[in-house]
Amino acid sequence: MSKGKEKVSNKQFRWLPPMHETMLRILAQEAHKGNKPSSTFKAGSFALVAKEITAQFGVECHPSYVENRMRTLRTMWSTIQTIRKKSGFGWDDNLKMITCDPKTYQEEVMAHRKHAEFLNKKIDMYDELAIVVGKDTATGGFSKSYVDLEHEPHNADESAEYVADNVEEDVVEKGKNTVESSTTGSGISKSRKRKHSVSNADESVLTDLSDQLKEIAVALKEINRGPVDYTALYNEVMTMMADGYSEDMLATAFDHLCENEKTARGFLAKNARLRKLWLDSFLFTQL
């Protein structure tokens, strides 16, 4: 055993958040290298994680600890997907967050206390988790898992960037191609032409929609650039007094956001409804 390394047993080994992140990052990279041939990884991948954690954190980590940790990650993933499929819960794909109203939150936490950590909070490293323990469908880049594909968001706020980047080049172009193909070819019946044609009005609607969503996406990207404007954040928080929240409540929420930059950026990116959901959830934890 190397000098300075603390030797602990498997049961005593404590996975700190930075260790958890290191493990997910390395295993996601290993998966993209082809070292996850099935539902698990090759032994060398676990050994690589153990070696890196030992080097970074000064605590001796064995590959068996990593393999055991995988069981915890699978349980975590299963819990997240089970909650997402329940009635009353939504999914914010930009923030990687399960959303729900205060009533649903309280009912779920009363029944399953440990589920609180997954509700109305950003799930850190969700994409990496999907690759490591989910059934990922891609071979390159951090992509969507099969559950993500089944639960693709449909409202403008949740899918703004995805739609803005793809609608104009993909959907509208397909609409144009459909119009062209439906008006050519003597062997195509008139009924089939009517079925597959897209009117100029429909094409115009698609174009207008893509333009609007692109503007939303640009606004979201601007929010994530540069330092957080805490004056603007304060003003946005205090506008919620109009929704019946007291100044003291909002001041507490503002202090919390100032201490958590990621949460502050997420708050600014949310629409009014999601901001209320987050605030209700936060105030509930302060009781």
Side-chain angles (χ1 to χ4, degrees):
M1 182 181 69
S2 302
K3 186 177 180 180
K5 302 292 190 300
E6 181 184 348
K7 187 174 182 179
V8 294
S9 68
N10 197 345
K11 291 183 179 180
Q12 294 174 324
F13 193 87
R14 183 180 178 187
W15 285 88
L16 302 175
M19 297 179 182
H20 170 84
E21 293 173 3
T22 298
M23 175 179 172
L24 284 177
R25 187 183 69 254
I26 293 175
L27 290 182
Q29 293 170 352
E30 287 293 289
H32 288 307
K33 292 177 183 177
N35 292 326
K36 184 188 176 185
S38 57
S39 60
T40 189
F41 289 84
K42 295 180 179 179
S45 298
F46 294 149
L48 183 62
V49 173
K51 181 180 178 180
E52 184 65 21
I53 288 177
T54 298
Q56 280 194 35
F57 303 100
V59 178
E60 190 168 354
C61 179
H62 294 282
S64 61
Y65 300 176
V66 180
E67 191 170 0
N68 285 333
R69 180 64 177 176
M70 286 289 290
R71 298 192 184 97
T72 301
L73 295 182
R74 291 191 185 98
T75 300
M76 180 188 301
W77 179 255
S78 177
T79 299
I80 292 170
Q81 304 314 317
T82 297
I83 298 173
R84 286 183 59 180
K85 293 176 182 177
K86 286 186 175 183
S87 176
F89 294 93
W91 176 249
D92 187 323
D93 196 51
N94 288 325
L95 299 176
K96 308 300 180 188
M97 180 173 72
I98 298 173
T99 60
C100 62
D101 58 41
K103 182 175 181 296
T104 303
Y105 178 93
Q106 291 183 17
E107 291 175 350
E108 184 67 17
V109 173
M110 287 290 289
H112 307 281
R113 182 172 56 84
K114 292 184 178 180
H115 287 189
E117 65 180 294
F118 304 116
L119 303 179
N120 293 333
K121 298 177 182 177
K122 183 180 186 299
I123 301 175
D124 291 329
M125 302 192 76
Y126 179 88
D127 289 333
E128 289 86 345
L129 186 65
I131 293 169
V132 172
V133 292
K135 295 181 180 179
D136 189 51
T137 60
T139 56
F142 289 153
S143 56
K144 294 181 175 62
S145 68
Y146 76 108
V147 177
D148 294 322
L149 296 173
E150 292 175 352
H151 293 81
E152 191 70 50
H154 294 292
N155 70 55
D157 290 324
E158 293 177 353
S159 57
E161 292 193 42
Y162 176 80
V163 176
D165 291 338
N166 292 276
V167 167
E168 196 163 20
E169 293 83 5
D170 185 24
V171 178
V172 174
E173 186 61 34
K174 286 180 180 177
K176 291 178 180 177
N177 292 339
T178 306
V179 172
E180 292 172 0
S181 63
S182 66
T183 56
T184 59
S186 58
I188 303 176
S189 66
K190 290 183 179 179
S191 62
R192 187 174 180 182
K193 288 180 183 179
R194 286 194 299 269
K195 181 178 180 181
H196 291 285
S197 65
V198 178
S199 68
N200 291 333
D202 290 335
E203 184 178 334
S204 177
V205 169
L206 286 174
T207 303
D208 290 343
L209 176 62
S210 71
D211 289 340
Q212 292 171 21
L213 292 177
K214 189 166 291 185
E215 290 177 4
I216 294 172
V218 170
L220 290 172
K221 289 176 182 177
E222 287 298 322
I223 288 174
N224 289 322
R225 290 178 182 171
V228 174
D229 185 340
Y230 288 101
T231 300
L233 176 63
Y234 176 82
N235 292 334
E236 290 295 325
V237 172
M238 288 304 166
T239 59
M240 299 183 73
M241 290 181 66
D243 296 317
Y245 298 99
S246 71
E247 186 176 17
D248 289 345
M249 289 180 178
L250 295 176
T252 300
F254 175 70
D255 290 341
H256 175 77
L257 291 172
C258 289
E259 295 171 358
N260 298 272
E261 183 177 333
K262 288 184 178 179
T263 306
R265 292 184 185 278
F267 178 86
L268 289 172
K270 291 181 174 70
N271 60 24
R273 183 181 69 84
L274 291 178
R275 286 182 181 182
K276 286 191 64 177
L277 287 176
W278 176 85
L279 184 57
D280 288 337
S281 174
F282 170 74
L283 293 176
F284 178 78
T285 64
Q286 303 301 302
L287 297 178

